[in-house]
Amino acid sequence: MTDTAIGRDDCLQWDEQDPLRRFRERFTLPPGVIYLDGNSLGALPAHTPERVETMIRREWGDGLIRSWNDAGWFEKPVVLGDRIAPLIGAGAGEVVVGDSTSISLFQALTAAVRLRPDRRVVVAEADNFPTDLYLLQSVQEIAGLELRLVDPRTPGASLDDLLDEQVGVVLLSQVNYRTGELLDMAETTARVHAAGALVVWDLCHSVGALPVDVTAAGADFAAGCTYKYLNGGPGSPSFVYVAPRHQEAAAPPLTGWQGHRRPFAFEGAYAAGEGATRFRIGTPQLISMAALEASLDIWEEVSLADIRTKSLALTDMFIRLVEERLPGLGTVVTPRAHASRGSQVSVRVDDGYPMMQALIERGVIGDFRAPDIMRFGFTPLYTSMTDVWDAVEVLQEIVVSESWRALPAAPSGQVT
Ligand SMILES: Cc1ncc(COP(=O)(O)O)c(C=O)c1O
């Protein structure tokens, strides 16, 4: 769009040309809601309830135990992994689905550490999502390693400063959950490899938000969730990627029976399953997998290039409108450069919590991350340019009327 002031009509026109427009009706969103939190929990695909009901009534209710074979339950973690693979640039047999991101991270991190037995240091970002830090701290303690934290605010604590011949494994998020900053996966992986270390990527905020290419980047391991941009539903299972070159040597720590080479031989000794299947643990969450399966149907029709183009247009527009119309609101902390931006915009605002609550009361749903970040996630499958316009309009009304002052200044519920 041009540099002159943008109007709502311009946004409507943009939406008419949008190649992803048709996907909006594939989701069920409540009327009157502008949903800008798909980076936390994706929206409900319209056909998911039917798929889950079929799983429960037909596969479980009628099929009972027979469904392990007849409905392909046993293979589901691998079949779904193969369906996620194209979304992250992986090949068949390189991704398995199951468990939670925290568990998948623990599996990948420990396996990576075991591949570098002579190196006694692990590295993580100080401002990564807490579960990543907590899990790496645990791996570090169990294995008796040293942990170094990358912190751009501290002199001498950049990734390059910390990398040396002691470092075995580096854990990084491709998109930072708080700021929305996107790292260059290929360039960063190359730097880590040049130091002789392995890298584990957390893809939670990038899978389904932009084209990801673990193969081209040379990533060693990756893990991610499916309940954000992939729309698999609350608590839907995570996935783990294992580069083919590591598959035969990788030794994940949680050696459950379904990761065994011959699970139904019921042998007393563990023998790791072939390739990435050894990252399976125990009985998978099959009801959640049915919901994930339904959401992946949509992804088979989507061009990730279109997703990226629209995501950048939506976030550009949001940043532009917020800065033009609400110049005193706060600081946009999300990078301006497209190459460094995921699919969310984070604004640092002193009274961000009550302001976000006021927005949610008006049907514009984003979220808040302590101490002062208002997060707005943009999901190209079901967010329109007009939604962006309308959301900023509501935000402006709230700021001008100061209606947020009537709301509690600090969180009362457990989830912000
Ligand atoms: C970067 C990142 N990693 C991990 C998680 C969550 O892990 P889990 O799915 O185990 O709750 C989140 C959740 O928002 C996240 O943002």
Side-chain angles (χ1 to χ4, degrees), residues 121-176:
V121 176
V122 285
V123 172
E125 300 154 286
D127 64 350
N128 202 344
F129 189 78
T131 212
D132 298 61
L133 286 172
Y134 303 159
L135 263 310
L136 191 57
Q137 279 161 14
S138 184
V139 174
Q140 172 227 338
E141 281 170 24
I142 293 168
L145 306 174
E146 180 198 328
L147 173 64
R148 294 182 189 162
L149 291 179
V150 176
D151 188 347
R153 290 154 303 216
T154 306
S158 72
L159 179 60
D160 288 329
D161 293 329
L162 301 187
L163 283 174
D164 61 23
E165 69 292 342
Q166 300 285 310
V167 176
V169 175
V170 178
L171 169 62
L172 298 166
S173 272
Q174 193 181 9
V175 174
N176 183 277

Side-chain angles (χ1 to χ4, degrees), residues 39-40 99-105 128-132 135 172-178 202-205 223-228 235-238 369 375:
N39 54 326
S40 205
D99 313 293
S100 69
T101 322
S102 301
I103 293 176
S104 292
L105 283 170
N128 202 344
F129 189 78
T131 212
D132 298 61
L135 263 310
L172 298 166
S173 272
Q174 193 181 9
V175 174
N176 183 277
Y177 81 105
R178 206 193 287 274
D202 182 327
L203 305 180
C204 282
H205 290 269
C225 70
T226 60
Y227 49 75
K228 298 180 190 294
S236 62
S238 56
R369 286 293 171 261
R375 281 198 320 179

Side-chain angles (χ1 to χ4, degrees), residues 104-371:
S104 292
L105 283 170
F106 183 71
Q107 289 279 76
L109 286 168
T110 310
V113 161
R114 284 171 150 180
L115 288 172
R116 286 288 179 273
D118 299 335
R119 296 189 166 221
R120 307 310 299 160
V121 176
V122 285
V123 172
E125 300 154 286
D127 64 350
N128 202 344
F129 189 78
T131 212
D132 298 61
L133 286 172
Y134 303 159
L135 263 310
L136 191 57
Q137 279 161 14
S138 184
V139 174
Q140 172 227 338
E141 281 170 24
I142 293 168
L145 306 174
E146 180 198 328
L147 173 64
R148 294 182 189 162
L149 291 179
V150 176
D151 188 347
R153 290 154 303 216
T154 306
S158 72
L159 179 60
D160 288 329
D161 293 329
L162 301 187
L163 283 174
D164 61 23
E165 69 292 342
Q166 300 285 310
V167 176
V169 175
V170 178
L171 169 62
L172 298 166
S173 272
Q174 193 181 9
V175 174
N176 183 277
Y177 81 105
R178 206 193 287 274
T179 63
E181 180 179 359
L182 166 68
L183 296 184
D184 182 329
M185 188 189 267
E187 185 268 333
T188 314
T189 301
R191 277 195 283 145
V192 173
H193 284 173
L198 302 177
V199 59
V200 177
W201 285 98
D202 182 327
L203 305 180
C204 282
H205 290 269
S206 44
V207 62
L210 47 108
V212 176
D213 199 334
V214 288
T215 305
D220 298 291
F221 295 88
C225 70
T226 60
Y227 49 75
K228 298 180 190 294
Y229 293 93
L230 295 190
N231 313 304
S236 62
S238 56
F239 62 88
V240 59
Y241 161 78
V242 190
R245 64 184 176 281
H246 296 312
Q247 286 186 359
E248 279 317 305
L254 301 172
T255 46
W257 73 291
Q258 296 208 0
H260 194 279
R261 190 161 288 248
R262 295 167 294 276
F264 285 88
F266 298 107
E267 295 166 9
Y270 184 76
E274 271 184 50
T277 63
R278 68 187 58 179
F279 281 74
R280 294 179 65 166
I281 304 173
T283 304
Q285 310 94 318
L286 287 155
I287 300 176
S288 283
M289 286 192 177
L292 173 59
E293 195 163 41
S295 68
L296 291 174
D297 292 345
I298 297 178
W299 284 101
E300 265 163 32
E301 298 170 43
V302 174
S303 142
L304 284 168
D306 286 348
I307 291 280
R308 182 62 172 157
T309 304
K310 181 171 173 185
S311 157
L312 289 171
L314 295 174
T315 50
D316 272 347
M317 177 64 84
F318 185 78
I319 293 172
R320 175 176 176 174
L321 289 176
V322 164
E323 292 190 332
E324 268 175 22
R325 297 176 61 175
L326 294 153
L329 177 68
T331 313
V332 174
V333 296
T334 304
R336 306 305 154 108
H338 285 177
S340 303
R341 192 192 305 161
S343 199
Q344 74 182 53
V345 177
S346 302
V347 192
R348 179 164 285 137
V349 181
D350 284 343
D351 295 299
Y353 180 75
M355 260 182 222
M356 183 52 77
Q357 297 313 303
L359 270 175
I360 293 170
E361 275 192 4
R362 295 277 312 270
V364 178
I365 303 182
D367 64 20
F368 174 77
R369 286 293 171 261

Side-chain angles (χ1 to χ4, degrees), residues 362 394-405:
R362 295 277 312 270
V394 174
L395 181 58
Q396 189 175 24
E397 282 168 26
I398 285 166
V399 171
V400 170
S401 69
E402 301 197 352
S403 61
W404 57 270
R405 289 193 188 276

